[in-house]
Amino acid sequence: MDTILVANSGSSSVKFQVFATGPDGGLERQVRGQVDGIGTHPRLRATDTDRKVLVERSLDNQTVPDVQAALIAAGNWLRDELRIAPVAIGHRVVHGGPLFERPVRVDSGVLQQLEKYVPLAPLHQPYNLAAIRSVLARFPDIPQVACFDTAFHRGHGELADRYAIPQDLYAEGVRRYGFHGLSYEYIASILPQVAPEIASTRVIVAHLGSGASMCALQARRSVESTMGFTALDGIPMGTRPGQIDPGVVLYLMSEKGMSPADAQAFLYHECGLKGLSGISNDMRELENSSDPRAQFAIDYFAYRVALNAGMLAAAMQGVDGFVFTAGIGENSPKVRAAIAARLAWLGVSLDPGANARNEQRVSRYESRTPAYVVRTDEELMIARHTVTLLAPGPHPSQYEKAS
Ligand code: ADP
């Protein structure tokens, strides 16, 4: 049985999963793991599918100083102790820029192209690419596939894709890309099974995790997103503000003396639920707090999600279904209820019992717009893409220019 390694490499952690490919082309998850604390106290931890711990150990900071070394250390552990030698690696890569509208097998030419998008996703792209580069250097024969968070949105029409700025900036890539595409693509792929009544209609999907965005799906294709050029726009997140007047950023720089790097750090790490509440970026902590600022942050979050639902409904000229996903969307009845209460005008009516039990369909039978909770699985989506792209047979061109 062949195995595929899926890697999601960030600044201080590498998350990985192993999937076995079955004879029927199906994929079975075998291992979930991560190396975290990179740069300070790296630790390797992994579990099997029954959540049994397979390994939990500290790694030497000298031998595992960075993301590249962390992925190699995880690969060595898989090979030496589990006898797993992946035949291919699928990587999550945040930005595919205007050029890549589907996953691509990475060689040094593709890597060079992807380097150009580092300024578009400075906190993620360098680490995504560093991991690919180190495998390419050490194991050039292992096929690697880059799967982009932007790709699923590349079919947006020009109205959705542009800012009201001069054309030459659009031409050089200043566009409304949208992110969390692997999550939305997975949801779109399983809607026919989990919510057949809405699968081919107009659906708003709310990916509410530490990072959060929303997507308008029309017949399972993305037509609009709340995120744009970077993963800062849209709804508030754990530590990012979501939509903010660019004048605020100018004010921070002209009046508060922030450099571009200061403003970047502020917008990515100090805002959102954390900045608003002054308590935490973590929704669970806010729900458990009796501080009124925590309740205000939750109300604000629900308000902004609902405002953006109105925008996405306008993009599709209506809405026929609503899907909650990711950490908050899948697990928080309280936040779902707060959002749904503001969506009554769009026909959403939650069933309090089904919502409290985190059932798959959380709306009442008579709700004009059915609402669902669907667990996302970005890693499975990456594994699927990796298998499909490496299967023998014709494939679309690697370089697909967006029109
Ligand atoms: P990411 O993958 O972007 O790091 P997740 O999708 O794991 O984020 O979502 C993390 C968020 O989900 C956190 O704000 C966390 O508090 C929230 N969350 C997870 N479980 C619950 C729960 N039971 N109730 C409320 N919020 C939850």
Side-chain angles (χ1 to χ4, degrees), residues 9-28:
S9 308
S11 58
S12 65
S13 75
V14 173
K15 294 182 184 146
F16 62 92
Q17 296 196 8
V18 175
F19 292 83
T21 58
D24 56 351
L27 285 159
E28 193 186 324

Side-chain angles (χ1 to χ4, degrees), residues 75-297:
N76 289 345
W77 169 75
L78 286 170
R79 186 194 57 209
D80 297 342
E81 298 186 29
L82 297 193
R83 306 269 166 245
I84 290 176
V87 296
I89 307 178
H91 295 266
R92 179 181 192 172
V93 175
V94 163
H95 225 299
L99 204 54
F100 295 96
E101 56 181 36
R102 52 174 58 94
V104 62
R105 183 164 172 178
V106 188
D107 56 21
S108 54
V110 169
L111 203 51
Q112 239 177 344
Q113 281 288 346
L114 295 177
E115 300 280 0
K116 293 191 185 147
Y117 307 138
V118 165
L120 308 192
L123 301 188
H124 298 100
Q125 192 89 343
Y127 306 103
N128 304 157
L129 300 186
I132 297 177
R133 201 179 309 105
S134 82
V135 174
L136 201 60
R138 287 168 191 238
F139 306 102
D141 296 333
I142 296 186
Q144 300 191 83
V145 172
C147 301
F148 305 103
D149 267 318
T150 48
F152 186 60
H153 304 294
R154 292 309 303 137
H156 285 182
E158 205 178 355
L159 287 176
D161 200 33
R162 292 192 66 160
Y163 288 109
I165 55 174
Q167 158 76 26
D168 50 348
L169 282 167
Y170 177 75
E172 74 175 61
V174 184
R175 302 177 183 204
R176 294 191 64 246
Y177 291 98
F179 296 86
H180 294 129
L182 292 159
S183 173
Y184 295 124
E185 189 178 11
Y186 173 76
I187 301 283
S189 78
I190 58 157
L191 272 189
Q193 285 129 60
V194 299
E197 63 179 324
I198 57 167
S200 57
T201 65
R202 298 164 298 182
V203 177
I204 294 175
V205 185
H207 177 109
L208 310 178
S210 303
S213 71
M214 296 161 71
C215 175
L217 283 185
Q218 206 155 0
R220 300 198 288 138
R221 295 171 76 95
S222 168
V223 295
E224 183 54 276
S225 160
T226 57
M227 277 183 168
F229 180 56
T230 68
L232 281 172
D233 204 358
I235 54 179
M237 297 165 239
T239 57
R240 292 170 251 167
Q243 184 194 5
I244 191 166
D245 181 340
V248 175
V249 184
L250 298 177
Y251 175 82
L252 294 174
M253 295 174 77
S254 64
E255 302 302 316
K256 296 287 171 187
M258 283 193 188
S259 66
D262 295 337
Q264 175 174 287
F266 177 75
L267 292 169
Y268 276 95
H269 300 303
E270 300 301 331
C271 298
L273 298 173
K274 178 182 173 190
L276 200 54
S277 68
I279 296 169
S280 173
N281 62 323
D282 192 284
M283 189 58 90
R284 259 171 308 199
E285 274 188 51
L286 296 179
E287 286 189 8
N288 292 331
S289 167
S290 54
D291 191 315
R293 293 174 305 163
Q295 185 56 49
F296 179 76

